[in-house]
Amino acid sequence: MAIYIDQEKKLFTLQTRNSTYQMKVDEKGVLLHTYYGEKADESDFSYLIGPFDRGFSGQPGDACGDRTYSMDYYPLEYPVLGNGDFRVKALLAGPKDGPAALDLRYASYELWDGKYDLTGLPALFAGEDTCVQTLEITLKDLYREVYVTLLYGVFEEQDVITRAARITNREKEVWTLRRAMSLGLDFLQGDMDLIHFYGKHAGERQLERRPVMHGIEEISSTRGASGHHHNPFMILSGRDTVEDYGACYGISLVYSGSFKFQVEKDQIDGLRLVGGLNDEEFVWELAENESFVTPEVVLTYSGQGLTRLSGNMQSILHKHLIRSWWKDQARPTLANNWEATYFQFDAKKLLQLAKEVADLGLDMLVLDDGWFGKRDDDTSGLGDWFVNEKKLGCSLKELVDQVNGLGVKFGIWMEPEMVSEDSELFRAHPDWALQIPGRAPVRSRDQLILDLSRKDVREYIKECIEQILSSANIEYVKWDMNRSMDLAFNVTEPGVSQGAVRHRYMLGLYEIMEDMLTRHPKLLLEGCSGGGGRFDAGMLYYSPQIWCSDNTDAIERLRIQYGTSFGYPMSAVAAHVSACPNHQNGRVTPFKTRGICAMQGAFGYELDLNKLSEQEKKEAKEQAAFYKKHQALFQSGDYYRLNSPMDERAYTAWSYVAKDQSKAILSVVHTDVYANPKRIRVRFKGLCEKTSYRINGEVYTGAALMRGGYVLPVPECAYDSCMLLAEAADILQ
Ligand code: DGJ
């Protein structure tokens, strides 16, 4: 049992293997947040609050005379506007033409085995796991028939608690939500660091760590996508927390659209986190008896540092979020033609690539952008999802059959959410694009966004996808999305709340993906948004892997993949070997190093295989064979960051260890070269101390490799690298 309820004290204690989370209904019915952290017992932690008469703190109406009772500094479970709390709020709601105000009080609870789901939204599921419980706590406004149900999913063994909220209007008049966050989380002691993952196109998820200062800090996206620039995964940690030591909280929003996290350090050094949908353009109307459900947020606590926290996140997302048939299958090693040909290709060229794919022992050829409509550059053709047979020189089926005939699988690129103004689709349906009548559209990459909040548009897209997928043996889709959303306005329903369009767009997108996967359950979907612009837990519900970045330079990828590893499984990180000089930054790195970096995730190639030298072909064959031989370890081994590319100039190291500790692969890339170099000793992690491991013919104990380390060979050139395979030799007595 994971959830303990003391009916008399109205105390709710959520227990996971290593953490405890607690709420309490106080004497006025307010739901206080009393504890979240290291595993404790079911003691009532409300004694920690310590009421005090603080100047300028508000008292709710029924606390008349008691100046020590104030929502302005009490730790609350779901803070709202309207009861004297002046910190950041989770919910702003009120009658359509009236002021936003709520004062939520406890009404009831429900407890059941299993995990709630959120219809239409991605969310964790229990699967085979029986140790998952759901708690629903319903709060009601003190004055009006408006209810908030807080949903908790407790994954006891995984140290994970999920949260979401359902807001229901039982008033006759329409109510308006101006902000509806997935969670509020209050900490009495706010002396913490904020670790987040900022970035840009071709430079996603760069780790940044800073102490939380007084005031409000925000990590957010208003781009209609989670975005390259910030990620909806963040960490709050102790000031002294490092990889293997200290307390930390991981927070991951299961949503792929605009989001917002706010962290406020308050007047008495407490800390409040609120997170969920970005409310910048959000207005959602609730008619009588309607409900609004927020996206889910996944929480995990580690008292043993960041490695454990990442392990918890990686494992819960892998086991309880990713549904794909492919999740535990060996993912196809592939060659993508984007950096090989860009828009200049025909079937002959693609077949030459396919032959090399077969020859190198890879599994799949992926045909990227440019095969449909009029699409010889990125200014036209989006929306016209019919095959350009003139360009190809044959039908798609003929091409795919020939590729399959070589023993190679076939995958295809699509960007279904978009439309080019120079397209048949736009000429026929200019109103299908998101735009504000009377204003020039905001263009980006010369394309507009289709209004997925509209059913007719969604049905058209579903049909286009189906026609393509059923026309040939297509086993993989790379689903791209190459611009940020601006001017989101639904032209067919100008009367309805335009503030709902962005979220309705996301619900529409999820509906289309669900439809595609229901029709093609064994399709491997790879998410993409100009690289990793939508690398989030929401997408992982549909696509078990995501193109991590448009930056294919091995050295920059070290930082991008390092940042990504904190919140996401490495099997989700699509990574390819590309040509040198690198197309994004001109850097030249050894072929070997490019291979090692790409093996950090779902492995493939992104270059013209026909242009490889004989030596490179030999290396590519060896890389593909090595990856396949150890694919289970790469895909599902425990992942360890052995140092940080943000802090260490000389090298970056990481490793995978088999769950049974019988095998490990440690990779090192030298990021700088030195004359008269010092010898680098890299310490393994996660091995069995008493097992002896063979590396390059020599035998070392796990204890020696973890405490003393392994002495790396001296790099022979710039950006040299090495990969060490450690295999258990025998068990020492
Ligand atoms: C952006 C993607 O990230 C690239 O890999 C490629 O598919 C291009 N779009 C194609 O337009």
Side-chain angles (χ1 to χ4, degrees):
M1 196 173 73
I3 299 175
Y4 298 81
I5 299 172
D6 184 330
Q7 309 262 12
E8 209 178 309
K9 291 187 184 154
K10 297 213 176 102
L11 196 62
F12 300 88
T13 308
L14 282 41
Q15 296 286 16
T16 73
R17 196 142 61 107
N18 298 294
S19 72
T20 298
Y21 185 110
Q22 194 186 70
M23 297 158 272
K24 181 180 169 135
V25 180
D26 76 2
E27 69 285 358
K28 294 195 191 325
V30 169
L31 187 64
L32 304 174
H33 176 83
T34 49
Y35 182 83
Y36 184 30
E38 195 66 26
K39 177 108 176 186
D41 56 15
E42 286 84 45
S43 300
D44 177 352
F45 283 95
S46 62
Y47 71 89
L48 293 169
I49 293 173
F52 192 76
D53 178 0
R54 283 184 205 288
F56 290 84
S57 292
Q59 281 82 50
D62 56 345
C64 186
D66 180 1
R67 291 198 193 177
T68 69
Y69 187 83
S70 174
M71 299 305 107
D72 200 20
Y73 59 86
Y74 273 29
L76 302 173
E77 190 58 20
Y78 196 67
V80 297
L81 176 70
N83 60 4
D85 183 351
F86 294 91
R87 294 167 290 176
V88 286
K89 325 283 187 295
L91 182 63
L92 269 65
K96 188 169 177 191
D97 299 314
L102 283 170
D103 188 348
L104 296 178
R105 305 299 170 100
Y106 174 75
S108 61
Y109 79 85
E110 275 185 63
L111 172 65
W112 39 279
D113 288 338
K115 167 72 176 34
Y116 64 84
D117 63 12
L118 306 174
T119 313
L121 278 167
L124 265 57
F125 51 84
E128 309 284 279
D129 206 324
T130 48
C131 298
V132 185
Q133 282 190 301
T134 290
L135 173 66
E136 300 193 12
I137 300 183
T138 298
L139 311 172
K140 179 192 166 298
D141 182 45
L142 198 52
Y143 305 95
R144 308 290 291 268
E145 290 295 310
V146 173
Y147 294 81
V148 175
T149 300
L150 302 177
L151 305 170
Y152 300 82
V154 183
F155 290 77
E156 187 176 1
E157 283 308 304
Q158 289 84 359
D159 280 327
V160 162
I161 294 171
T162 64
R163 288 189 54 182
R166 184 171 60 235
I167 300 121
T168 304
N169 175 24
R170 301 219 181 279
E171 291 279 312
K172 289 234 166 319
E173 65 186 313
V174 171
W175 268 53
T176 304
L177 310 182
R178 296 181 199 158
R179 161 180 283 215
M181 292 293 195
S182 303
L183 95 163
L185 190 58
D186 281 0
F187 295 92
L188 288 168
Q189 273 130 11
D191 200 15
M192 291 195 201
D193 280 356
L194 168 65
I195 301 176
H196 70 108
F197 303 89
Y198 74 98
K200 58 184 175 185
H201 174 237
E204 299 87 337
R205 291 173 295 287
Q206 308 288 310
L207 180 144
E208 184 170 79
R209 179 173 183 161
R210 59 173 184 264
V212 178
M213 309 296 276
H214 290 96
I216 300 167
E217 301 192 34
E218 183 175 309
I219 306 295
S220 66
S221 160
T222 54
R223 294 169 178 274
S226 47
H228 304 80
H229 306 80
H230 293 287
N231 194 267
F233 168 72
M234 55 167 271
I235 297 169
L236 288 169
S237 78
R239 302 296 307 279
D240 54 356
T241 295
V242 289
E243 286 286 2
D244 302 313
Y245 170 83
C248 44
Y249 302 83
I251 303 115
S252 185
L253 184 65
V254 189
Y255 191 63
S256 315
S258 302
F259 72 92
K260 183 182 275 187
F261 285 130
Q262 287 180 316
V263 179
E264 177 170 4
K265 191 163 180 181
D266 68 22
Q267 57 178 331
I268 49 171
D269 297 346
L271 186 148
R272 169 171 292 172
L273 164 73
V274 295
L277 290 174
N278 196 311
D279 56 347
E280 188 177 274
E281 293 182 63
F282 176 81
V283 182
W284 194 279
E285 288 175 1
L286 283 181
E288 185 184 6
N289 290 329
E290 280 184 354
S291 294
F292 177 81
V293 179
T294 71
E296 177 166 276
V297 73
V298 179
L299 300 172
T300 188
Y301 167 80
S302 158
Q304 290 170 35
L306 297 163
T307 303
R308 166 71 72 89
L309 178 140
S310 295
N312 290 351
M313 268 298 166
Q314 292 172 344
S315 137
I316 195 85
L317 298 189
H318 181 79
K319 288 199 195 125
H320 296 277
L321 181 70
I322 295 177
R323 299 172 299 166
S324 170
W325 181 85
W326 281 97
K327 81 162 155 182
D328 291 318
Q329 304 290 324
R331 307 279 170 78
T333 54
L334 58 86
N336 178 303
N337 77 313
W338 178 242
E339 289 196 20
T341 66
Y342 294 102
F343 292 101
Q344 276 67 57
F345 59 82
D346 56 14
K348 195 169 152 233
K349 174 88 194 153
L350 295 168
L351 283 167
Q352 279 166 356
L353 283 174
K355 280 188 194 119
E356 290 298 333
V357 168
D359 194 42
L360 297 180
L362 302 170
D363 301 311
M364 180 182 276
L365 175 72
V366 175
L367 172 54
D368 211 280
D369 197 353
W371 54 268
F372 52 91
K374 186 185 98 186
R375 183 79 171 163
D376 289 325
D377 58 35
D378 61 14
T379 63
S380 63
L382 290 172
D384 295 343
W385 299 108
F386 40 85
V387 182
N388 186 342
E389 294 190 359
K390 195 159 160 246
K391 174 172 179 174
L392 226 46
C394 63
S395 71
L396 188 59
K397 178 162 173 36
E398 283 162 341
L399 172 66
V400 177
D401 284 350
Q402 289 189 66
V403 170
N404 287 171
L406 296 165
V408 173
K409 294 177 192 294
F410 186 85
I412 205 160
W413 177 98
M414 293 188 85
E415 193 176 2
E417 298 157 72
M418 297 291 152
V419 64
S420 307
E421 285 166 277
D422 184 2
S423 69
E424 290 185 22
L425 181 68
F426 187 76
R427 281 185 280 274
H429 298 287
D431 61 312
W432 281 15
L434 285 170
Q435 51 192 308
I436 299 182
R439 288 181 179 272
V442 172
R443 298 182 179 85
S444 184
R445 210 195 191 202
D446 277 312
Q447 61 196 58
L448 304 180
I449 307 182
L450 289 168
D451 184 353
L452 269 52
S453 73
R454 286 174 58 163
K455 189 166 188 309
D456 51 355
V457 176
R458 293 198 298 275
E459 293 310 314
Y460 172 80
I461 295 175
K462 285 180 199 168
E463 201 39 50
C464 288
I465 294 173
E466 185 51 27
Q467 274 193 17
I468 292 298
L469 294 188
S470 57
S471 72
N473 183 27
I474 296 169
E475 298 181 71
Y476 157 112
V477 166
K478 176 179 175 188
W479 183 302
D480 206 348
M481 192 278 207
N482 281 299
R483 60 159 293 178
S484 301
M485 186 187 289
D486 205 329
L487 307 185
F489 189 88
N490 177 322
V491 289
T492 50
E493 300 168 272
V496 306
S497 167
Q498 293 295 333
V501 172
R502 284 165 180 262
H503 184 54
R504 283 173 55 189
Y505 177 98
M506 291 312 303
L507 296 175
L509 172 64
Y510 292 143
E511 177 190 305
I512 296 169
M513 290 186 164
E514 189 73 44
D515 179 77
M516 178 177 79
L517 292 165
T518 306
R519 295 192 211 205
H520 301 276
K522 290 194 177 169
L523 183 79
L524 173 54
L525 181 63
E526 177 164 309
C528 176
S529 172
R534 222 163 38 185
F535 205 117
D536 54 65
M539 272 300 139
L540 289 180
Y541 191 63
Y542 305 91
S543 55
Q545 59 191 55
I546 301 175
W547 182 226
C548 187
S549 176
D550 269 353
N551 190 336
T552 58
D553 168 52
I555 305 307
E556 286 206 72
R557 272 285 185 126
L558 291 174
R559 287 190 289 272
I560 296 169
Q561 292 171 184
Y562 169 80
T564 308
S565 77
F566 279 84
Y568 302 98
M570 296 314 286
S571 58
V573 175
H576 298 168
V577 174
S578 64
C580 277
N582 177 267
H583 291 196
Q584 288 79 43
N585 64 10
R587 196 197 313 258
V588 175
T589 50
F591 198 78
K592 176 172 78 166
T593 298
R594 283 176 264 159
I596 287 177
C597 290
M599 284 185 216
Q600 210 174 4
F603 179 72
Y605 290 82
E606 183 100 9
L607 44 69
D608 190 345
L609 298 172
N610 294 293
K611 290 192 181 146
L612 293 180
S613 67
E614 285 311 310
Q615 171 58 26
E616 285 171 334
K617 277 189 190 166
K618 183 172 165 283
E619 280 188 60
K621 266 188 198 167
E622 287 165 4
Q623 287 172 349
F626 184 85
Y627 182 77
K628 285 186 167 200
K629 184 166 177 206
H630 301 290
Q631 190 160 7
L633 179 56
F634 286 121
Q635 262 187 227
S636 54
D638 290 336
Y639 183 78
Y640 292 94
R641 297 175 290 267
L642 300 179
N643 73 347
S644 162
M646 314 306 282
D647 301 334
E648 169 66 64
R649 191 171 153 188
Y651 71 100
T652 301
W654 65 96
S655 70
Y656 298 83
V657 179
K659 299 266 180 232
D660 66 1
Q661 297 173 307
S662 63
K663 193 162 102 167
I665 292 179
L666 184 149
S667 304
V668 183
V669 173
H670 296 277
T671 43
D672 210 347
V673 275
Y674 302 88
N676 190 12
K678 63 182 181 193
R679 299 305 298 271
I680 298 171
R681 293 163 197 87
V682 184
R683 287 200 285 254
F684 278 76
K685 287 186 178 177
L687 301 181
C688 171
E689 290 192 3
K690 293 199 164 174
T691 297
S692 58
Y693 294 88
R694 184 166 286 116
I695 303 178
N696 292 333
E698 301 289 332
V699 173
Y700 311 83
T701 63
L705 290 171
M706 291 195 291
R707 308 279 175 266
Y710 183 88
V711 187
L712 294 181
V714 174
E716 291 174 2
C717 61
Y719 305 121
D720 202 359
S721 56
C722 70
M723 201 174 231
L724 305 169
L725 173 64
E727 286 178 299
D730 61 312
I731 304 289
L732 299 179
Q733 292 311 307

Short mmCIF file of all heavy atoms in Angstrom, two decimals, residues 85 128 140 155 193 212 231 279 308 320 329 467 541 565 659 697:
data_model
loop_
_atom_site.label_atom_id
_atom_site.label_comp_id
_atom_site.label_asym_id
_atom_site.label_seq_id
_atom_site.Cartn_x
_atom_site.Cartn_y
_atom_site.Cartn_z
N ASP A 85 -3.46 34.86 -0.76
CA ASP A 85 -2.13 34.33 -1.07
C ASP A 85 -1.54 35.23 -2.17
O ASP A 85 -2.13 35.36 -3.25
CB ASP A 85 -2.28 32.88 -1.57
CG ASP A 85 -0.94 32.22 -1.85
OD1 ASP A 85 0.09 32.91 -1.83
OD2 ASP A 85 -0.95 30.99 -2.09
N GLU A 128 1.58 -3.48 -16.27
CA GLU A 128 1.49 -4.72 -15.48
C GLU A 128 1.65 -4.45 -13.98
O GLU A 128 1.37 -5.30 -13.16
CB GLU A 128 2.63 -5.68 -15.87
CG GLU A 128 2.76 -5.93 -17.35
CD GLU A 128 1.68 -6.87 -17.86
OE1 GLU A 128 1.86 -8.08 -17.69
OE2 GLU A 128 0.67 -6.38 -18.40
N LYS A 140 -13.63 22.33 -2.98
CA LYS A 140 -14.75 23.12 -3.51
C LYS A 140 -14.58 24.57 -3.11
O LYS A 140 -14.12 24.85 -2.01
CB LYS A 140 -16.06 22.56 -2.94
CG LYS A 140 -17.28 23.29 -3.42
CD LYS A 140 -18.53 22.93 -2.63
CE LYS A 140 -19.65 23.91 -2.89
NZ LYS A 140 -19.36 25.29 -2.48
N PHE A 155 3.47 5.69 -7.89
CA PHE A 155 4.24 4.53 -8.37
C PHE A 155 5.26 4.23 -7.28
O PHE A 155 6.36 4.78 -7.25
CB PHE A 155 4.94 4.87 -9.69
CG PHE A 155 4.00 5.02 -10.85
CD1 PHE A 155 3.24 6.18 -11.02
CD2 PHE A 155 3.88 4.01 -11.79
CE1 PHE A 155 2.37 6.31 -12.09
CE2 PHE A 155 3.01 4.13 -12.87
CZ PHE A 155 2.25 5.29 -13.02
N ASP A 193 18.87 24.86 -5.42
CA ASP A 193 19.34 25.23 -6.75
C ASP A 193 18.27 24.85 -7.77
O ASP A 193 17.57 23.85 -7.60
CB ASP A 193 20.62 24.46 -7.12
CG ASP A 193 21.86 25.08 -6.48
OD1 ASP A 193 21.72 26.15 -5.83
OD2 ASP A 193 22.95 24.51 -6.65
N VAL A 212 18.30 29.38 -6.34
CA VAL A 212 17.02 30.09 -6.44
C VAL A 212 17.11 31.32 -5.54
O VAL A 212 17.42 31.21 -4.35
CB VAL A 212 15.85 29.18 -5.99
CG1 VAL A 212 14.53 29.94 -6.06
CG2 VAL A 212 15.79 27.93 -6.86
N ASN A 231 13.15 23.53 -21.68
CA ASN A 231 12.57 22.19 -21.70
C ASN A 231 11.63 22.01 -20.52
O ASN A 231 11.92 22.48 -19.42
CB ASN A 231 13.70 21.14 -21.64
CG ASN A 231 13.19 19.76 -21.99
OD1 ASN A 231 12.80 18.98 -21.13
ND2 ASN A 231 13.14 19.47 -23.27
N ASP A 279 0.07 30.21 -19.49
CA ASP A 279 -1.20 30.95 -19.45
C ASP A 279 -1.14 32.27 -20.21
O ASP A 279 -2.09 33.03 -20.18
CB ASP A 279 -1.59 31.21 -18.00
CG ASP A 279 -0.50 31.94 -17.23
OD1 ASP A 279 0.64 32.03 -17.74
OD2 ASP A 279 -0.78 32.44 -16.13
N ARG A 308 20.67 9.02 -9.44
CA ARG A 308 19.47 8.28 -9.04
C ARG A 308 18.22 8.95 -9.60
O ARG A 308 17.30 8.30 -10.09
CB ARG A 308 19.42 8.18 -7.51
CG ARG A 308 18.12 7.75 -6.90
CD ARG A 308 17.83 6.25 -7.14
NE ARG A 308 18.68 5.38 -6.34
CZ ARG A 308 18.41 4.96 -5.11
NH1 ARG A 308 17.28 5.32 -4.54
NH2 ARG A 308 19.23 4.17 -4.45
N HIS A 320 6.50 3.26 -18.13
CA HIS A 320 5.11 3.63 -17.88
C HIS A 320 4.61 4.81 -18.70
O HIS A 320 3.55 5.35 -18.42
CB HIS A 320 4.93 3.92 -16.39
CG HIS A 320 5.16 2.71 -15.53
ND1 HIS A 320 4.19 1.76 -15.31
CD2 HIS A 320 6.27 2.27 -14.88
CE1 HIS A 320 4.68 0.79 -14.54
NE2 HIS A 320 5.95 1.08 -14.28
N GLN A 329 12.08 -3.40 -28.34
CA GLN A 329 12.65 -4.08 -29.51
C GLN A 329 13.96 -3.40 -29.89
O GLN A 329 14.13 -2.21 -29.63
CB GLN A 329 11.71 -3.94 -30.72
CG GLN A 329 10.30 -4.44 -30.49
CD GLN A 329 10.25 -5.95 -30.38
OE1 GLN A 329 10.98 -6.64 -31.07
NE2 GLN A 329 9.41 -6.45 -29.50
N GLN A 467 -3.18 7.62 -46.40
CA GLN A 467 -2.95 7.30 -47.82
C GLN A 467 -1.49 6.97 -48.06
O GLN A 467 -1.16 6.02 -48.77
CB GLN A 467 -3.36 8.49 -48.68
CG GLN A 467 -4.84 8.42 -48.99
CD GLN A 467 -5.25 9.38 -50.07
OE1 GLN A 467 -4.42 9.88 -50.81
NE2 GLN A 467 -6.55 9.63 -50.15
N TYR A 541 5.03 9.57 -25.32
CA TYR A 541 3.84 8.72 -25.25
C TYR A 541 3.52 8.14 -26.63
O TYR A 541 2.92 7.08 -26.75
CB TYR A 541 2.69 9.59 -24.77
CG TYR A 541 1.42 8.89 -24.36
CD1 TYR A 541 1.41 8.02 -23.28
CD2 TYR A 541 0.22 9.16 -25.01
CE1 TYR A 541 0.22 7.41 -22.88
CE2 TYR A 541 -0.97 8.56 -24.62
CZ TYR A 541 -0.95 7.69 -23.55
OH TYR A 541 -2.13 7.10 -23.14
N SER A 565 20.09 13.60 -21.01
CA SER A 565 20.11 12.39 -20.19
C SER A 565 19.54 12.62 -18.79
O SER A 565 19.15 11.67 -18.12
CB SER A 565 21.56 11.87 -20.05
OG SER A 565 22.29 12.65 -19.13
N LYS A 659 21.90 -4.47 -16.37
CA LYS A 659 21.15 -4.56 -15.10
C LYS A 659 21.75 -5.63 -14.18
O LYS A 659 21.73 -5.47 -12.97
CB LYS A 659 19.69 -4.91 -15.37
CG LYS A 659 18.96 -3.88 -16.20
CD LYS A 659 18.24 -2.86 -15.34
CE LYS A 659 17.51 -1.83 -16.21
NZ LYS A 659 17.80 -0.46 -15.88
N GLY A 697 41.68 -7.48 -22.65
CA GLY A 697 42.56 -8.60 -22.27
C GLY A 697 43.07 -8.54 -20.84
O GLY A 697 43.59 -9.53 -20.33
#
